[in-house]
Amino acid sequence: MEVRDTDILKSDQSAASVDQAYKLRVKDLNFYYGAFQALHGISINAEKNRVTAFIGPSGCGKSTFLRTLNRMHEETPGARVDGEVLLDGESIFDRDISELRRSVGMVFQRSTPFPKSIFENIAYGLRIRGVDRSSISDLVEQSLKRANLWEEVKHKLNKSASSLSGGQQQRLCIARALAVNPELLLLDEPCSALDPIGTSKIEDLLLEIKETCTILIVTHNMQQAARVSDYTGFFLSGKLIEFNDTKSMFETPSSKLTEDYITGRFG
Amino acid sequence: MPMASKRKTVSYTWRKWRGALGFGLTGVATLISLGALFSILGYLIHQGIGAINWNFIVREPAAVGEAGGGIAPSLLGTLILVAISMVVGMPLGIGVGIYLSEMAGDTRFANLARVAINTFIGVPSIIMGIFVYFILVKPTNTFSAVAGGLALGIIMIPIIARTTEDVLRLVPKSIREAGLAIGAPKWRVTFDLVLPAARAGVITGGILAVARVAGETAPLILTALGNEYYPTSLFKPIDEITLRILKYARGPYDVWHQQAYGAALILVFGVAIGSLLLRLSTRDRDALSR
């Protein structure tokens, strides 16, 4: 199992210190859509305050993998997982699902603003969380500033979110996810519908927010993975072929398949 | 070669003709239908406009066979019956629609419910009238506004349930997932995000249902009965505009006939104006939120 080879865990480390080093630990995760197995024995450890990228051709299971981490797969009838997913050492499957999703934010491929005003898009998550009414507008401002969107929207907070450009909408979705202070942020091809300027704004943003949370990003774009991530995993046909720090992965891939993919021979 | 190209030309001409024929037939169908509808409207206006004046709208019916008098109790009764039917039909219908679209999925029970709803949309309304007659009118020994409203409300339920389910299903899955992803529980996603996104469609479904029951007569004969005077209690017989039309149209007096047309005209325009206003108001709000 190549996956085990790249597992950098030392066996003599105690479980507690392992949990401190890794925000997220996935062990032997299998995923099924009905009879079809979409993920085969995925094991991965994601370090705290680092960006971990997942690359691979369409349909390789990288988005499916991401969606199990906040249990979004449970919304798909017939989807089923086995294996372990530990967030701070605690199984995500034992946690209350709403509470889990407040600690694990998600940003989707296509921006999904709520049919509400810009302000309400951010405030909604805060209200759900029961945040005190008086502090909501401060928190909205803070979140928009963290997502580098405040200057562009501060004069039109009551306008509908769908009046924003695609890139702005995506940053709004990131602000919305950040507002509830997630420990882990999942991004599923967040830039695939954006132009280069929108993309570079989001990439800069990721490097800023990794100070406060752990980021997992799925991307089609290998340059993007190389630019923003500390670690990269390569998926192919539902298997994690290689997982390593980004620099080694792109300079000296250990698997022939990885090398073929990143040099553009397929995918 | 010339043969082949000739055959091609022929088939192209034929296809062009066939296309034109298709369009022509649908056009003719539209013309015939619209013609029928407008001639009904024209006939109604021609026959009924003479009956309509201020007194017709604000007065009680005159003594039998006499000229003058109005249909005010019927108009008021119609509003009351429609209001009761909305109280019964809207929450239940919307509730069923939400359940089927958001909660039930494709379970056997849900599919059975869908079949039942589609069936009930097509069931003649007198059946609901008979049902309410036996469960409410007979036991209490009185026709009443409540019984009439209940019968109309039951007619509304499947219509509203069906349209609500349909428009909720049109709301993109991405909105639901985005809501769930920030930790909103499913019921809040449904009520805070999905339902508002489908609001215009749900309201349109409601309008259709109201327009449908506002024109019902059969179930009301068995439940609301009709009344010559203003309603004084929800537990007594109440008049309704189609009951008034039925009574006057069947009566022997020319005055009544003209008033029946007048009442029919008011009903048609009432439903038209009502749905137009509601549609405009929902469209405005949609434009604002955009």
Side-chain angles (χ1 to χ4, degrees):
Chain A
M1 295 283 311
E2 282 148 300
V3 175
R4 300 283 159 122
D5 295 342
T6 58
D7 193 332
I8 48 173
L9 267 181
K10 300 284 183 300
S11 55
D12 56 9
Q13 277 180 295
S14 71
S17 70
V18 167
D19 289 341
Q20 274 177 359
Y22 298 115
K23 187 73 197 170
L24 180 80
R25 299 174 59 204
V26 178
K27 277 188 260 175
D28 230 351
L29 185 78
N30 293 302
F31 188 102
Y32 310 85
Y33 288 114
F36 172 72
Q37 186 169 3
L39 293 175
H40 302 261
I42 308 295
S43 296
I44 233 166
N45 294 315
E47 252 181 71
K48 216 172 218 171
N49 299 106
R50 293 285 178 270
V51 178
T52 303
F54 297 106
I55 58 172
S58 298
C60 66
K62 55 195 192 302
S63 291
T64 300
F65 173 66
L66 207 65
R67 288 167 63 87
T68 57
L69 302 181
N70 68 346
R71 292 169 61 190
M72 195 54 80
H73 69 280
E74 291 177 15
E75 307 307 320
T76 311
R80 185 164 61 78
V81 295
D82 58 53
E84 239 181 289
V85 181
L86 306 175
L87 185 67
D88 290 325
E90 194 192 346
S91 169
I92 63 166
F93 301 111
D94 295 340
R95 290 177 64 171
D96 173 73
I97 195 160
S98 297
E99 183 256 335
L100 169 75
R101 285 170 179 164
R102 285 167 208 170
S103 1
V104 184
M106 187 169 211
V107 175
F108 298 85
Q109 183 170 0
R110 286 205 294 171
S111 60
T112 49
F114 298 141
K116 294 172 178 286
S117 70
I118 294 168
F119 182 90
E120 279 301 317
N121 258 274
I122 313 283
Y124 182 67
L126 297 168
R127 293 211 180 93
I128 291 283
R129 257 202 142 178
V131 169
D132 190 42
R133 207 172 267 271
S134 57
S135 50
I136 282 184
S137 75
D138 283 346
L139 284 169
V140 169
E141 180 175 339
Q142 250 177 49
S143 312
L144 286 168
K145 278 180 174 160
R146 278 177 80 190
N148 296 335
L149 190 60
W150 175 251
E151 288 304 316
E152 293 160 62
V153 302
K154 63 181 178 188
H155 56 280
K156 53 174 181 180
L157 291 173
N158 289 320
K159 280 252 178 76
S160 163
S162 49
S163 67
L164 297 174
S165 76
Q168 290 172 327
Q169 284 186 19
Q170 200 58 303
R171 276 180 284 148
L172 181 71
C173 291
I174 294 179
R176 186 171 72 190
L178 291 177
V180 292
N181 264 322
E183 303 155 32
L184 182 66
L185 186 61
L186 312 172
L187 300 112
D188 189 358
E189 296 182 36
C191 303
S192 65
L194 303 185
D195 63 13
I197 295 171
T199 302
S200 86
K201 283 188 175 166
I202 300 242
E203 288 178 3
D204 293 346
L205 181 58
L206 294 185
L207 297 177
E208 287 169 30
I209 54 188
K210 79 172 185 181
E211 306 293 322
T212 54
C213 72
T214 307
I215 297 176
L216 267 60
I217 178 171
V218 160
T219 177
H220 255 118
N221 182 330
M222 278 176 281
Q223 286 75 28
Q224 181 169 61
R227 280 192 301 262
V228 301
S229 69
D230 304 291
Y231 295 94
T232 300
F234 171 56
F235 277 83
L236 187 66
S237 316
K239 297 192 176 96
L240 183 64
I241 302 297
E242 186 167 351
F243 183 61
N244 212 337
D245 68 275
T246 300
K247 198 165 182 297
S248 322
M249 180 92 154
F250 280 94
E251 286 172 4
T252 52
S254 58
S255 158
K256 180 81 173 65
L257 288 167
T258 314
E259 188 182 336
D260 287 352
Y261 182 69
I262 58 184
T263 53
R265 246 163 262 167
F266 72 91
Chain B
M1 278 323 225
M3 271 303 284
S5 79
K6 194 177 175 206
R7 205 184 302 148
K8 207 170 165 187
T9 321
V10 167
S11 87
Y12 172 66
T13 315
W14 165 231
R15 284 201 315 248
K16 217 166 66 169
W17 269 101
R18 218 166 36 172
L21 191 71
F23 277 116
L25 286 176
T26 55
V28 169
T30 310
L31 275 182
I32 291 174
S33 316
L34 279 184
L37 291 176
F38 275 103
S39 51
I40 291 172
L41 192 61
Y43 187 69
L44 266 186
I45 293 174
H46 175 72
Q47 298 283 328
I49 198 83
I52 294 176
N53 52 47
W54 184 242
N55 283 341
F56 187 63
I57 292 170
V58 299
R59 285 273 180 86
E60 290 182 66
V64 174
E66 274 178 29
I71 57 163
S74 323
L75 294 176
L76 190 61
T78 304
L79 289 181
I80 291 171
L81 284 168
V82 167
I84 297 173
S85 73
M86 286 168 80
V87 170
V88 174
M90 290 272 188
L92 288 173
I94 292 175
V96 172
I98 290 174
Y99 174 75
L100 289 178
S101 161
E102 305 300 308
M103 318 288 169
D106 264 342
T107 57
R108 184 172 299 206
F109 173 73
N111 286 326
L112 200 69
R114 288 188 186 101
V115 171
I117 282 166
N118 285 337
T119 310
F120 271 104
I121 289 176
V123 163
S125 54
I126 188 128
I127 306 294
M128 322 302 188
I130 294 169
F131 174 69
V132 174
Y133 178 80
F134 280 113
I135 64 152
L136 193 62
V137 175
K138 257 195 120 188
T140 59
N141 223 2
T142 176
F143 296 95
S144 67
V146 170
L150 183 62
L152 297 184
I154 295 174
I155 296 170
M156 286 172 91
I157 292 170
I159 304 174
I160 294 181
R162 174 70 189 279
T163 50
T164 302
E165 184 189 357
D166 286 352
V167 296
L168 288 181
R169 278 174 181 271
L170 290 178
V171 175
K173 217 174 144 211
S174 58
I175 288 187
R176 295 181 179 86
E177 290 192 340
L180 293 171
I182 59 166
K186 187 151 185 147
W187 69 270
R188 292 212 59 166
V189 171
T190 301
F191 286 93
D192 297 345
L193 304 175
V194 179
L195 208 52
R199 186 193 53 224
V202 172
I203 291 174
T204 305
I207 296 169
L208 283 175
V210 167
R212 160 87 193 271
V213 301
E216 284 295 345
T217 323
L220 294 176
I221 297 172
L222 291 166
T223 53
L225 188 66
N227 196 333
E228 294 298 308
Y229 306 101
Y230 282 112
T232 52
S233 160
L234 294 181
F235 302 99
K236 286 186 177 154
I238 192 168
D239 212 36
E240 203 264 354
I241 193 157
T242 57
L243 292 174
R244 180 71 19 197
I245 294 169
L246 183 70
K247 177 173 182 181
Y248 280 177
R250 288 201 302 198
Y253 313 104
D254 284 342
V255 194
W256 276 15
H257 295 162
Q258 202 194 24
Q259 289 193 334
Y261 281 116
L265 197 57
I266 286 177
L267 177 61
V268 169
F269 275 96
V271 169
I273 290 169
S275 51
L276 200 68
L277 284 180
L278 272 169
R279 212 167 278 249
L280 283 179
S281 68
T282 57
R283 198 174 61 184
D284 279 355
R285 262 180 283 156
D286 282 350
L288 278 180
S289 72
R290 225 157 250 146

